[in-house]
Amino acid sequence: MRKSTGKLLIGLAVGILLAGAIGTIAYGSDGFTNFDVSTWFDGEWRKIEISDQEKDYTGEKLEPDVVLPEGFSYEIIKIENAGEEVDLEVGAVEIGDYVFTIKVTKEDESRNYFCNLKIVEPDNQVETDVEAKNLSLKLAAVMLAEDGSVTKEFTYTITPENATNQSINVSVAWAQNDSSVTDDDSFKNSKTVTDYVTIAKDESQQKITLTCKQAFGSQVIANISSVDNPEAKASVKVEYRKKRTYTYENVGHTLSSSVTSVEDLLNFTYSDSVGTLPFNGVAEDVLTLQDGTINSIVSSSFTGYTNLMNALNKGTDFGAILDEVNALDSDAYNSITSAMNAHKTDLITRSFIFSNADANTLSGSITYGVDLGATTIKVTDITINDDSIEF
């Protein structure tokens, strides 16, 4: 899914985008905590894919991509950054290197995995170290505020260092229509630029701060000029890359011979925010279903039928459920089919996580049942009233 002379000469052409890990891990192991070599590659555990990753900064909480076989689930139990533990609710947001401890579970067995996630500046977002004839501009920090605004702080250096007057003026303005071919020139009409982007300076620390207050669709120009010599100036392009928001709806609540997968019961859609640069994610959608819960009214009917419970609570396929029902003995078959036929839309409730390769995630839950089609009551016993016959 980037120019004038005088006492202070600044030459700068750089694009700034404001927007709201290397290594491997042992698959199917307890990371570095499991020394039982015989379990490292057993069964389906070796199909687990948790590797070190690198992702672009988005201003939102990011997590490693985890690929699990059916029937497995996971949770992040610890995040560290530079040796310090990160609050799980806050998560990995700012640029840096993070170490994740991930607990993977299947039925009664759990194993811990470790992976590194490196959050970096996106391509074309900003040249973090810019050298011009008389100015050095370097990205110092990226900060996400509670209100969703994003602040980028830059340090600057003026040469010569002993210039008598090192004061600067800073301002922001909407760019001209021909400044970019990817933005929406009409977006800025009747809008105040500082409602979207603001700029501030701290001359004592030689810092410039740009803050993105909300998404914007027309390119912004940040201007920096010398108070001593207004002809010595620079301009910086400020961009906003479009962000994608996902929503979902339940389009059905019953698995059947014609609607065979839980995925067919959910429809995911997305919308893009305004922006001056296109969305750069990859359309690779992954739906992860958590273990389900049987309706409490009839849950006791399923007790003891492990294969059927797994097909209902962990599986996604109608055919597998039907096979397990047909394999039941007559007493169980009659009880189970009666319960399932009475709850064709509300037999199972399952939580899910929908994720996209651009690191956007969406969580929710779905309640559904199973339409077995035509079922009959199976004969459970034959009794002969007379136990002897005489001719």
Side-chain angles (χ1 to χ4, degrees):
M1 148 60 44
R2 248 186 140 165
K3 275 166 172 180
S4 343
T5 59
K7 296 179 182 178
L8 172 63
L9 180 62
I10 301 176
L12 180 62
V14 55
I16 295 178
L17 169 63
L18 293 175
I22 309 300
T24 59
I25 188 150
Y27 293 149
S29 76
D30 279 351
F32 302 105
T33 66
N34 176 19
F35 297 98
D36 183 358
V37 178
S38 64
T39 67
W40 285 5
F41 299 99
D42 56 329
E44 291 190 310
W45 288 90
R46 62 182 178 180
K47 297 179 182 178
I48 294 172
E49 296 180 22
I50 303 177
S51 59
D52 293 349
Q53 296 159 45
E54 181 177 294
K55 292 189 175 184
D56 289 344
Y57 169 83
T58 66
E60 301 173 351
K61 181 166 68 174
L62 299 177
E63 297 178 353
D65 296 323
V66 177
V67 179
L68 302 176
E70 187 174 301
F72 287 75
S73 62
Y74 78 93
E75 64 175 322
I76 295 169
I77 59 176
K78 188 176 182 181
I79 305 174
E80 294 178 281
N81 182 354
E84 298 291 331
E85 193 163 342
V86 178
D87 187 289
L88 293 178
E89 291 297 321
V90 176
V93 177
E94 298 186 0
I95 293 170
D97 295 306
Y98 298 83
V99 179
F100 282 72
T101 304
I102 299 172
K103 180 180 179 181
V104 179
T105 302
K106 182 181 182 184
E107 298 176 350
D108 296 330
E109 184 176 3
S110 297
R111 303 181 185 181
N112 288 345
Y113 292 73
F114 305 91
C115 76
N116 297 321
L117 174 63
K118 185 174 185 178
I119 299 179
V120 298
E121 280 285 326
D123 292 340
N124 302 320
Q125 181 164 332
V126 62
E127 293 180 37
T128 57
D129 195 356
V130 179
E131 296 289 342
K133 288 184 179 179
N134 292 87
L135 175 71
S136 174
L137 182 67
K138 184 178 181 65
L139 179 66
V142 179
M143 293 159 283
L144 177 66
E146 291 184 0
D147 62 2
S149 63
V150 178
T151 297
K152 295 201 172 187
E153 188 177 86
F154 299 84
T155 58
Y156 66 89
T157 302
I158 292 175
T159 53
E161 294 182 0
N162 62 348
T164 302
N165 184 354
Q166 297 193 16
S167 298
I168 59 172
N169 290 319
V170 295
S171 64
V172 288
W174 293 117
Q176 297 297 317
N177 288 354
D178 59 356
S179 180
S180 172
V181 296
T182 60
D183 69 348
D184 177 8
D185 292 326
S186 65
F187 176 86
K188 63 192 174 199
N189 294 340
S190 303
K191 292 184 174 70
T192 303
V193 66
T194 51
D195 289 339
Y196 299 88
V197 177
T198 59
I199 188 170
K201 63 179 180 177
D202 182 344
E203 293 180 342
S204 64
Q205 299 187 56
Q206 291 195 320
K207 290 181 180 179
I208 297 171
T209 301
L210 282 165
T211 298
C212 173
K213 302 170 71 174
Q214 58 181 311
F216 54 93
S218 293
Q219 193 180 70
V220 175
I221 301 295
N223 297 300
I224 307 166
S225 63
S226 166
V227 171
D228 183 48
N229 176 20
E231 294 301 314
K233 56 187 178 180
S235 62
V236 179
K237 294 179 180 179
V238 184
E239 311 272 8
Y240 188 95
R241 189 172 293 279
K242 292 180 179 180
K243 297 292 179 288
R244 183 159 289 182
T245 302
Y246 294 88
T247 58
Y248 77 93
E249 62 177 336
N250 293 7
V251 295
H253 291 277
T254 305
L255 293 181
S256 66
S257 58
S258 58
V259 182
T260 60
S261 173
V262 177
E263 293 186 13
D264 297 332
L265 303 177
L266 293 164
N267 183 43
F268 295 91
T269 57
Y270 66 83
S271 60
D272 288 343
S273 70
V274 297
T276 63
L277 296 174
F279 172 75
N280 66 349
V282 180
E284 181 181 336
D285 302 334
V286 177
L287 176 64
T288 303
L289 285 160
Q290 308 300 317
D291 289 355
T293 302
I294 300 292
N295 190 314
S296 60
I297 298 174
V298 294
S299 59
S300 60
S301 300
F302 296 83
T303 302
Y305 302 106
T306 303
N307 291 340
L308 177 59
M309 290 282 282
N310 286 339
L312 289 171
N313 291 338
K314 302 176 182 293
T316 62
D317 181 62
F318 169 78
I321 296 172
L322 185 61
D323 288 344
E324 294 301 332
V325 171
N326 287 331
L328 297 171
D329 60 42
S330 55
D331 283 328
Y333 178 90
N334 291 339
S335 174
I336 293 296
T337 55
S338 176
M340 295 178 69
N341 287 336
H343 295 276
K344 291 183 179 179
T345 61
D346 63 350
L347 181 65
I348 311 153
T349 298
R350 299 180 73 175
S351 298
F352 66 82
I353 298 175
F354 172 83
S355 60
N356 186 275
D358 65 354
N360 286 279
T361 61
L362 175 69
S363 60
S365 65
I366 180 172
T367 299
Y368 61 95
V370 181
D371 184 355
L372 297 170
T375 58
T376 58
I377 303 300
K378 288 187 176 182
V379 174
T380 61
D381 193 13
I382 297 177
T383 302
I384 299 176
N385 293 329
D386 295 324
D387 57 3
S388 65
I389 300 175
E390 182 178 329
F391 288 99

